[in-house]
Amino acid sequence: MFSPLGHFKQLDCPFFRKDRTCPAKYCIFKHENASDNNGGSFPPTSEESSKDARDEARVSQVFSLSSICPTAQIPYIPPSDTTAKDNSVTTKSDLLSSNVPSKSVSAKKSENLYNREKEPMQSPVSGSSRPQKRAREELLIPTNDSNTQNHDSSVNRVKERKVVNEPMAICEPVYDPNAPAGHELRKRMVHIFYDCFLNIGYDSFESKQKSLEDERSICLSTNSKMIYSSSCKAKILALKKSPPKGILERKEDVTSFIPKLAHSREQLELWGYHFDQIVPSVPTDPLRECDRCGTKFVDLTGPCKHHWGKLFREKVGGEKIRLYTCCGMKEGETSGCTSEEFHVFRYQHLPYLASVSPFVSLSSDCPGKERVYCALDCELCYTTLGFELVHLTVVDKEGILFNQFIRPKGEVLSLNTRFSGITSKTQLESGITMPVMYERLKQLGITRNTIIIGHGIENDLNAMRLLHERVIDTAILYKHERGPPFRYSLKYLTKRYLGKEIQTDTHHSEEDAIAAMDLVIYWIQNVQSRA
């Protein structure tokens, strides 16, 4: 049916014309007396209703499009009755802030949707009985500024953290097409070295420099990818186990602990040390074996072709083969990569060594203060009498005490430069004799009670022709996992525990002596303290 719009209000009710009572509660026809209509009243029409009441009712309502779009809830804005003379407009904020009896949840959401909108909306022209259609406006999605700022700051922190730990921020090694390993592997090793040096206590600049230097030295000293990888792994292990930066500067604190580490006589004898007087004796057989190429000879004249490097195993094409570290050649392919003029020999027979130079013991007294300990290392070369001492270095916590060339008795056949560091025979001509060497050691306060530190020092004592019982041997102190006669090299121990690289080019007696002393100090400050 249609709604009562007042079209029939001028016509008399048919029931009223027949003098009958109208049964309708709200009749659309004219009644002279409203009480005649069963006491009811006619419904209000649009013209009879108050515009203010209608506007107030419509303001309190919310135009919902939930049937079309569940998320669209737009408040209905009624038309204005009059237009202000000063062309002022009614804004949505004014309407929404008006006193409304009750607000639904959807009305509150609608206010939040429009609270950021500043542009006023002009009301339609007055005089229209129906509200004009509003142009659809774009809804603005509310944003939380604090959340946005927090999100941006967190993103910046993540980016900053990535930049700090970004491997590319570290200097890359110099590209070398002839390197034993690929450039990507070399970069990865530099980055690992860098992190290890940072953990030890070096700053970023020192870590970059040391990581690049160590990687470069390993790259130059290896000739295959397997050896390069093994050397890098050993370096990383040594850095991870190395003490913090500057721990070795406290050398004066360990003087009282060093005597406790001296080995017993029985333990030293197990490793080949001798303490009794040795009777000199010369072998009757003139046949000797070359210490380099293995040739049996009587005449020293060569040529002597040999490999100066060691053999190592490498997997090639699924097969394990033995290669030389000096040239990378397979075992048995060639007789040698190096040729010398003479064959050389080395006698370990103690009576023969005593026949060349007698064994002695150090003095029990000295002119000055007796030293508690010292570390030493010797360099030897090949002569016509065997393997003779040519250089001696003695150090302690104060520094280098003795660093002198020793003149050998035999004629020099090979300086053994790669392992001794001696480059010219003229250096040996200015050396001292062994009796003078003993006197110098006595003047330095080194007696038979002084503890001598070294690595595999039984060979050094034999070369010096010394009988000494107070010894700390780092090869015994850092025991090999397989037990005697196996022992770790000084280079390996220094890399593993001190994080230092020694013997990279040639051997230096002062470098080896200091490394042996530092290993003993490290043992006292770390291993023994934990035990």
Side-chain angles (χ1 to χ4, degrees):
M1 294 295 291
F2 51 83
S3 60
L5 298 179
H7 297 296
F8 303 97
K9 65 178 182 177
Q10 302 299 331
L11 300 178
D12 293 333
C13 180
F15 290 94
F16 179 75
R17 290 196 297 265
K18 297 180 181 181
D19 297 330
R20 296 177 59 185
T21 302
C22 180
K25 184 175 182 180
Y26 300 105
C27 184
I28 62 177
F29 296 99
K30 179 182 177 181
H31 286 261
E32 296 236 349
N33 190 2
S35 61
D36 295 339
N37 191 16
N38 288 337
S41 63
F42 295 101
T45 62
S46 59
E47 295 182 358
E48 294 172 348
S49 302
S50 174
K51 291 184 178 182
D52 295 335
R54 183 177 64 208
D55 293 342
E56 183 179 356
R58 287 179 179 177
V59 167
S60 62
Q61 295 177 358
V62 176
F63 177 71
S64 176
L65 297 179
S66 58
S67 60
I68 301 175
C69 179
T71 60
Q73 292 182 352
I74 307 173
Y76 172 76
I77 301 177
S80 177
D81 294 339
T82 59
T83 304
K85 294 181 181 181
D86 57 352
N87 294 328
S88 61
V89 293
T90 303
T91 60
K92 288 180 285 187
S93 59
D94 296 333
L95 294 174
L96 294 176
S97 62
S98 61
N99 296 327
V100 181
S102 62
K103 287 187 178 181
S104 62
V105 177
S106 59
K108 295 181 180 179
K109 292 183 178 179
S110 301
E111 290 182 9
N112 293 332
L113 289 173
Y114 285 90
N115 60 359
R116 293 174 59 89
E117 195 173 329
K118 303 297 183 181
E119 198 68 30
M121 179 177 177
Q122 192 170 4
S123 61
V125 180
S126 60
S128 174
S129 60
R130 291 171 180 256
Q132 296 181 355
K133 293 185 177 179
R134 296 171 59 245
R136 183 173 179 84
E137 300 177 1
E138 182 180 359
L139 295 178
L140 299 178
I141 300 176
T143 57
N144 192 339
D145 294 338
S146 61
N147 293 339
T148 304
Q149 293 176 359
N150 295 337
H151 175 71
D152 294 340
S153 61
S154 62
V155 171
N156 293 334
R157 285 196 299 271
V158 172
K159 289 183 178 180
E160 183 180 358
R161 185 168 63 251
K162 288 183 178 180
V163 170
V164 171
N165 295 331
E166 182 68 27
M168 298 305 295
I170 308 172
C171 296
E172 295 183 6
V174 179
Y175 177 76
D176 185 3
N178 299 322
H183 193 63
E184 292 298 326
L185 177 59
R186 294 182 60 198
K187 287 197 299 183
R188 189 160 64 250
M189 293 298 106
V190 171
H191 300 158
I192 298 175
F193 292 166
Y194 176 81
D195 293 336
C196 292
F197 281 117
L198 284 180
N199 294 333
I200 293 174
Y202 292 92
D203 57 23
S204 59
F205 179 77
E206 292 176 337
S207 300
K208 288 180 182 180
Q209 296 297 324
K210 294 182 72 66
S211 59
L212 290 174
E213 291 175 1
D214 290 351
E215 192 280 332
R216 183 63 178 170
S217 63
I218 294 175
C219 186
L220 293 176
S221 61
T222 56
N223 53 12
S224 68
K225 183 177 180 180
M226 174 175 283
I227 301 178
Y228 175 84
S229 301
S230 301
S231 302
C232 289
K233 290 178 182 177
K235 177 67 177 178
I236 294 169
L237 182 62
L239 290 176
K240 290 183 177 180
K241 294 186 177 182
S242 62
K245 181 183 176 182
I247 193 172
L248 297 179
E249 297 177 357
R250 306 190 305 269
K251 295 180 181 179
E252 65 276 7
D253 300 334
V254 300
T255 304
S256 59
F257 296 95
I258 286 181
K260 301 178 182 179
L261 297 180
H263 306 298
S264 63
R265 179 167 180 165
E266 293 77 10
Q267 190 176 14
L268 293 175
E269 288 177 347
L270 180 63
W271 287 88
Y273 287 81
H274 299 273
F275 306 104
D276 299 330
Q277 289 295 331
I278 299 171
V279 180
S281 176
V282 179
T284 57
D285 188 3
L287 187 66
R288 287 167 173 77
E289 182 179 356
C290 181
D291 192 43
R292 295 185 297 202
C293 65
T295 303
K296 303 287 186 177
F297 68 92
V298 176
D299 186 7
L300 295 174
T301 305
C304 176
K305 297 190 66 176
H306 64 282
H307 292 282
W308 58 265
K310 297 181 180 180
L311 285 170
F312 71 97
R313 293 183 181 273
E314 187 174 28
K315 194 172 184 179
V316 178
E319 178 185 1
K320 288 186 178 180
I321 59 176
R322 289 163 60 90
L323 303 176
Y324 285 98
T325 57
C326 53
C327 59
M329 299 293 292
K330 188 186 297 186
E331 181 183 16
E333 283 188 351
T334 60
S335 57
C337 61
T338 306
S339 180
E340 298 286 347
E341 183 180 359
F342 299 102
H343 291 293
V344 295
F345 68 97
R346 174 168 54 178
Y347 263 164
Q348 299 292 342
H349 190 51
L350 294 181
Y352 173 78
L353 296 179
S355 66
V356 177
S357 294
F359 282 83
V360 299
S361 298
L362 293 173
S363 175
S364 58
D365 58 351
C366 61
K369 182 179 180 180
E370 187 179 58
R371 295 189 179 274
V372 178
Y373 71 94
C374 68
L376 60 83
D377 187 71
C378 299
E379 301 294 349
L380 298 88
C381 70
Y382 293 103
T383 68
T384 54
L385 297 178
F387 209 38
E388 290 193 73
L389 173 68
V390 293
H391 189 269
L392 174 64
T393 301
V394 182
V395 301
D396 73 345
K397 63 182 179 180
E398 299 177 358
I400 298 177
L401 303 177
F402 183 86
N403 190 24
Q404 189 70 44
F405 288 101
I406 311 297
R407 189 184 312 130
K409 287 186 174 182
E411 182 182 354
V412 177
L413 299 177
S414 175
L415 292 173
N416 200 26
T417 303
R418 185 175 287 106
F419 301 102
S420 66
I422 301 173
T423 58
S424 175
K425 293 181 180 180
T426 57
Q427 294 175 324
L428 303 181
E429 295 175 0
S430 62
I432 61 176
T433 60
M434 294 185 70
V436 177
M437 178 190 70
Y438 299 142
E439 185 64 25
R440 296 278 183 87
L441 295 178
K442 180 179 178 180
Q443 294 175 1
L444 291 173
I446 300 175
T447 65
R448 64 180 58 183
N449 295 323
T450 302
I451 299 175
I452 298 180
I453 300 172
H455 186 81
I457 200 175
E458 77 278 5
N459 299 319
D460 299 271
L461 294 178
N462 291 339
M464 296 173 63
R465 304 299 195 267
L466 277 181
L467 300 175
H468 196 76
E469 295 186 14
R470 303 274 288 172
V471 170
I472 298 178
D473 192 342
T474 53
I476 304 176
L477 189 63
Y478 293 86
K479 296 180 181 179
H480 196 280
E481 57 183 7
R482 299 173 63 181
F486 300 98
R487 64 182 71 183
Y488 293 114
S489 66
L490 180 63
K491 183 176 182 179
Y492 169 78
L493 293 175
T494 306
K495 287 171 61 178
R496 177 175 178 178
Y497 295 102
L498 304 181
K500 298 180 181 179
E501 193 78 26
I502 64 172
Q503 304 174 0
T504 55
D505 187 13
T506 57
H507 287 225
H508 300 282
S509 56
E510 60 270 14
E511 182 183 49
D512 293 350
I514 294 174
M517 183 176 60
D518 288 346
L519 282 172
V520 174
I521 296 174
Y522 175 83
W523 178 276
I524 295 173
Q525 293 178 343
N526 294 269
V527 180
Q528 191 176 31
S529 61
R530 289 197 299 266

